[in-house]
């Protein structure tokens, strides 16, 4: 497919190989680039990029809100900021931060794609392995793209499947493309960044970690057990009642409590209610799930679909009808409570 990309396109779609080649024209090492005046601007842009990703909550981005340079130097800085933002979140080792950045990048790219002609749209889509013209996808591909899409309509049992292909509507192709970009970018992270480089970028990493922490506190605020979804309340009651909780139940509860901002000591205190409580084992599990263990991976509580599969979605109530994640249930109950003080 012959499509000519303009310089500004590199800033719009920094994940394309052409954009990376454009940025690498100087063949400079990252360390040297960071010392240069352009590098100092680019790292500032990178921090701002991650901060924008953190503060963006919607499902779309208005194109007017996305800074887009017009000259070649500006484009180089913009593409560099994308690359540096990926390095920053990789050094930060917060899974949720990586999720936020990749979601934002996918929304950002799709906002630009909406204004492109068919040829360019199809070309960009093809570069991340998505064929925009097709109205069906092989089952394995469909499952890979939709694994994190929680609406019932995306579940394979609700789809028309013929000869190993899942039919898709033209309007759905856009949603799938957005998800494909997110999934592709997510699969590339975290990057294996040398420790020395992470140390050099430590002040910037710490700035985005602070912004992330602040966002978490704004989103969740003080922990309120009365706003927990039924599934988490059930696991907590079972714990207090001396029932043996499965590994997946403990994982779901611990990740949930960590995600809403409870610290490790508070979580361990909750587990003291369990009859088989073992402090060192519990401490190890809590540290592992919250990303302070060996791998540095921070886990997110399972979605409602995953909770259902694990047999942990119990006594769903009316509040569950509007959410696809226990964290969303908690967030919305807290918001509702704030709006209607007693
Ligand atoms: S629907 Fe979701 S939030 Fe509600 S009980 Fe089930 S898993 Fe929990």
């Amino acid at each position: 497919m012959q499509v000519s990309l303009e310089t500004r396109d590199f800033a719009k779609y920094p994940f394309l190989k052409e954009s990376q080649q454009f940025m690498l024209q100087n063949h400079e090492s990252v360390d040297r680039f960071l010392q240069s005046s352009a590098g100092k601007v680019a790292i500032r842009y990178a921090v701002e990029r991650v901060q924008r990703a953190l503060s963006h909550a919607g499902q779309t981005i208005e194109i007017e809100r996305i800074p887009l340079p017009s000259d070649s130097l500006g484009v180089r800085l913009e593409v560099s900021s994308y690359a540096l933002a990926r390095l920053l979140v990789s050094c930060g080792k917060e899974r949720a931060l990586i999720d936020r950045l990749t979601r934002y990048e996918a929304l950002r790219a799709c906002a630009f794609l909406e204004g492109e002609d068919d040829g360019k749209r199809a070309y960009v889509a093809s570069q991340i392995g998505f064929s925009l013209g097709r109205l069906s996808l092989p089952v394995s591909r469909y499952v890979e793209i939709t694994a994190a899409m929680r609406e019932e309509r995306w579940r394979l049992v609700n789809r028309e499947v013929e000869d190993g292909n899942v039919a898709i509507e033209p309007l759905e192709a856009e949603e799938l493309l957005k998800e494909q970009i997110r999934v592709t970018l997510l699969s590339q992270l975290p990057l294996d960044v040398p420790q020395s480089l992470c140390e050099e970028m430590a002040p910037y990493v710490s700035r985005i970690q602070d912004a992330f922490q602040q966002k978490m506190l704004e989103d969740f605020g003080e922990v309120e057990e009365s706003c927990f979804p039924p599934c988490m309340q059930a696991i907590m009651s079972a714990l207090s009642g001396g029932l043996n909780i499965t590994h997946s139940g403990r994982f779901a509860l611990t990740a949930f409590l960590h995600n809403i901002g409870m610290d490790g000591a508070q979580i361990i205190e909750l587990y003291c209610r369990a009859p088989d409580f073992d402090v060192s084992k519990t401490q190890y599990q809590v540290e592992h799930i919250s990303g302070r263990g060996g791998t540095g991976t921070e886990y997110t509580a399972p979605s409602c679909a995953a909770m259902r599969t694990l047999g942990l979605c119990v006594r769903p109530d009316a509040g569950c009808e509007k959410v696809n994640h226990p964290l969303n249930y908690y967030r919305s109950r807290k918001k509702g409570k704030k709006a209607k003080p007693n």
Side-chain angles (χ1 to χ4, degrees), residues 222-228 233 329-342:
E222 212 172 289
V223 173
E224 283 190 49
E225 269 189 56
S226 62
C227 296
F228 282 13
Q233 296 215 11
Y329 182 105
Y330 179 72
R331 199 183 276 124
S332 111
R333 280 291 299 271
K334 279 203 74 173
K335 258 194 203 147
K337 238 180 139 179
K338 230 192 242 170
K340 288 184 237 155
N342 293 331

Side-chain angles (χ1 to χ4, degrees), residues 229-231 303-304 307-308 312-316 320 323 325-326 329:
C231 48
S303 64
C304 294
M307 292 286 279
R308 262 179 236 121
L312 294 169
C313 170
V314 289
R315 299 196 300 271
C320 292
V323 300
H325 202 289
Y329 182 105

Side-chain angles (χ1 to χ4, degrees), residues 231-246 250 253 273-276 314-315:
C231 48
M232 298 300 166
Q233 296 215 11
I235 302 174
M236 300 242 302
S237 309
L239 260 182
S240 316
L243 291 183
N244 198 15
I245 308 296
T246 57
R250 282 172 192 257
L253 180 64
R273 303 175 189 178
D276 60 346
V314 289
R315 299 196 300 271

